[in-house]
Amino acid sequence: YGGMGLDFSYSIAVAEELGHIRCGGIPMAIGVQAGMATPALTRFGSDELKKQFLVPTIAGDFVACLGVSEAGAGSDVANIKTTAVKKGDEYVINGGKMWTTSGCQADWMCLLANTSEGPPHRNKSLICLPMNLPGIHVAKKIDKLGMRSSDTAQIFFEDVRVPRKNLIGEEGKGFTYQMLQFQEERLWGVASVLTPLETIIQETVDYTRQRQVFDRPVLHNQAVHFRLAELATEVELLRSLLYRTVALYVQGNDVTKFASMAKLKAGRLAREVTDSCLQFWGGMGFTSEVLVSRFYRDLRLMSIGGGTDETMLSIICKYMETLPSK
């Protein structure tokens, strides 16, 4: 379908390289295209759907977005309210999506909607939804703390009609497909922060080496250079966990536990590195003129988007069998 036929490890290599871009919004937009809106279509979509949506997306002619989160259902995917009701050969879609990356400019959406009244984990389906259909209202581009270059939309659906043949895979399997898709999304997110964290640490080393306080460089304080060494070590440990998880995933293993651990650690380490380094920049770190302040805002999303830290902890606990049985 126009792709190179490489395994997922190459996507991770790309995600790391995109970290050299000096903002978070552009890598995130590419990540949505490559690792969030398209994996389910690639795995489970019909040949017709792949030709219609995947081919132009791979070519870069279409922008894709992922319609999962809602105002009342972020990490709690099972609680989404958007419906797609069968009417003849069509689905009629009503509801809305929130925090949709690339939503203002997307050509199509990988939409998760309730297609029946059954149990919440078995009543959802994924649908390829063209974004130029009547009844789709892009309400606004959301003003955000960070990722300010990223197009993040609030979208409403009012009696939107889409052919039933736009269903990805089987009806009722959407929740399962989305959980599989989350593995790639979370691993991409982890990979995308490694290079920025290294960059922040190195720029902090360079700045504190030349910044003078009490007649000597800030870096020459043991508390500073020990802390930077500790943070650099943590980044390398995160990279090792990521690489191990990706290797297992490429071999066909379920890596939900390790992917959740890596996502949790990446979110917390992003906060830890940016906060610690910003402190060493002093007043300059609180300005918009330096990279550390930008990544302090941009990378804060890592602990929220794609599943919160608390959600990751719940998943890890489930795999460790520490949660009480229902």
Side-chain angles (χ1 to χ4, degrees):
Y1 298 96
M4 297 177 69
L6 303 173
D7 66 47
F8 182 66
S9 65
Y10 289 85
S11 292
I12 293 301
V14 169
E16 280 197 66
E17 285 302 305
L18 290 174
H20 289 290
I21 299 172
R22 295 173 71 86
C23 79
I26 295 171
M28 183 172 69
I30 297 171
V32 168
Q33 188 96 339
M36 302 177 200
T38 51
L41 174 60
T42 303
R43 280 199 193 96
F44 305 109
S46 66
D47 183 62
E48 182 181 356
L49 277 185
K50 290 177 184 178
K51 288 178 179 177
Q52 184 179 354
F53 294 100
L54 188 59
V55 168
T57 302
I58 290 173
D61 297 325
F62 276 9
V63 173
C65 67
L66 179 63
V68 173
S69 294
E70 299 179 3
S75 296
D76 184 10
V77 175
N79 196 39
I80 66 165
K81 305 301 182 187
T82 297
T83 58
V85 178
K86 290 189 286 288
K87 294 285 180 69
D89 292 333
E90 297 178 314
Y91 286 110
V92 179
I93 299 167
N94 284 279
K97 295 297 176 179
M98 189 69 165
W99 305 300
T100 305
T101 300
S102 301
C104 294
Q105 60 186 304
D107 296 286
W108 70 279
M109 172 186 286
C110 179
L111 172 74
L112 185 69
N114 297 313
T115 48
S116 74
E117 297 290 337
H121 296 95
R122 294 195 294 273
N123 74 336
K124 294 170 175 54
S125 303
L126 285 174
I127 299 168
C128 290
L129 178 68
M131 290 295 286
N132 60 355
L133 296 177
I136 297 178
H137 307 287
V138 179
K140 64 178 179 178
K141 180 180 177 181
I142 299 169
D143 188 17
K144 307 182 299 297
L145 169 69
M147 300 287 191
R148 297 185 64 81
S149 65
S150 173
D151 155 18
T152 309
Q154 181 179 21
I155 301 170
F156 293 105
F157 311 114
E158 184 178 356
D159 293 330
V160 180
R161 292 181 174 269
V162 63
R164 285 175 61 184
K165 65 181 181 180
N166 283 26
L167 175 72
I168 297 174
E170 297 180 42
E171 190 172 275
K173 293 289 187 68
F175 184 88
T176 300
Y177 296 162
Q178 187 54 49
M179 292 303 104
L180 291 172
Q181 192 162 269
F182 273 149
Q183 291 191 39
E184 294 193 5
E185 174 179 342
R186 288 162 183 166
L187 292 172
W188 173 284
V190 173
S192 71
V193 303
L194 291 174
T195 303
L197 295 181
E198 288 181 326
T199 300
I200 292 166
I201 292 169
Q202 186 57 53
E203 291 201 359
T204 302
V205 169
D206 296 340
Y207 181 72
T208 54
R209 179 179 285 117
Q210 58 89 20
R211 181 188 174 205
Q212 297 278 328
V213 174
F214 302 120
D215 297 323
R216 66 171 179 169
V218 171
L219 185 62
H220 290 181
N221 291 281
Q222 188 181 76
V224 176
H225 58 241
F226 274 18
R227 180 59 174 151
L228 293 172
E230 182 179 37
L231 293 173
T233 302
E234 291 291 318
V235 172
E236 285 305 319
L237 289 170
L238 177 60
R239 175 178 277 110
S240 295
L241 174 57
L242 172 67
Y243 288 179
R244 180 190 181 195
T245 305
V246 171
L248 289 169
Y249 183 69
V250 169
Q251 293 167 8
N253 295 288
D254 177 4
V255 296
T256 303
K257 181 177 78 169
F258 288 150
S260 301
M261 288 177 170
K263 167 70 166 59
L264 172 69
K265 183 62 178 178
R268 292 188 167 178
L269 189 58
R271 292 154 66 183
E272 190 177 3
V273 169
T274 55
D275 185 70
S276 294
C277 288
L278 190 149
Q279 182 71 22
F280 298 149
W281 283 73
M284 183 57 70
F286 204 65
T287 71
S288 297
E289 299 177 19
V290 294
L291 184 65
V292 67
S293 67
R294 183 173 203 170
F295 278 138
Y296 180 86
R297 292 180 287 106
D298 282 1
L299 300 188
R300 184 60 179 83
L301 181 62
M302 190 67 197
S303 280
I304 301 171
T308 62
D309 285 0
E310 292 75 19
T311 302
M312 297 304 102
L313 286 167
S314 294
I315 294 170
I316 295 164
C317 287
K318 177 182 176 183
Y319 276 83
M320 293 174 64
E321 298 182 347
T322 63
L323 292 176
S325 58
K326 293 183 179 180

